[in-house]
């Protein structure tokens, strides 16, 4: 009997960090492999766990997924796509 295929790989894309998020992450962008925004952010926190400022900055950020604002939606309901982009936007001062 042939082996059963495993679950499909999660979609892969890019997380882009801006301003304070970029400084806290120490990089402008990095790849994700996640099905939801919540999963991608858990992985990003794990990647940057030695930078406590990173987790703190994320709590104040807003997010765009493929150019669409996430707003107040539960991050576990925001699906990510293959080749997609997550923009991490901290609050900006000024006007």
């Amino acid at each position: 009997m042939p082996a059963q295929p495993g679950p499909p790989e999660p979609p892969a894309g890019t997380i882009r960090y801006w301003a304070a998020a970029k400084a806290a992450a120490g990089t402008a962008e990095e790849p994700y492999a996640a099905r939801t925004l919540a999963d991608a952010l858990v992985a990003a926190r794990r990647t940057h766990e030695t930078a406590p400022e990173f987790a703190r900055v994320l709590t104040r950020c807003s997010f765009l997924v493929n150019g669409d604002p996430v707003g107040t939606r539960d991050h576990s309901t925001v699906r990510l796509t293959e080749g997609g982009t997550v923009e991490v936007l901290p609050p900006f001062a000024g006007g």
Side-chain angles (χ1 to χ4, degrees), residues 4-94:
Q4 294 289 330
E9 292 294 317
T14 303
I15 299 177
R16 291 188 184 140
Y17 300 108
W18 298 95
K22 179 179 173 181
T27 187
E29 63 181 48
E30 62 192 6
Y32 71 72
R35 297 187 196 295
T36 68
L37 177 58
D39 293 341
L41 295 176
V42 165
R45 284 184 186 96
R46 192 174 307 125
T47 297
H48 301 286
E49 66 188 354
T50 60
E53 179 67 10
F54 180 78
R56 192 173 74 73
V57 167
L58 279 188
T59 64
R60 299 188 326 263
C61 288
S62 58
F63 303 93
L64 300 176
V65 174
N66 299 330
D68 295 325
V70 171
T72 59
R73 287 185 284 162
D74 182 333
H75 294 170
S76 67
T77 67
V78 179
R79 307 292 295 172
L80 301 182
T81 59
E82 184 67 30
T85 303
V86 174
E87 307 279 349
V88 180
L89 308 168
F92 292 94

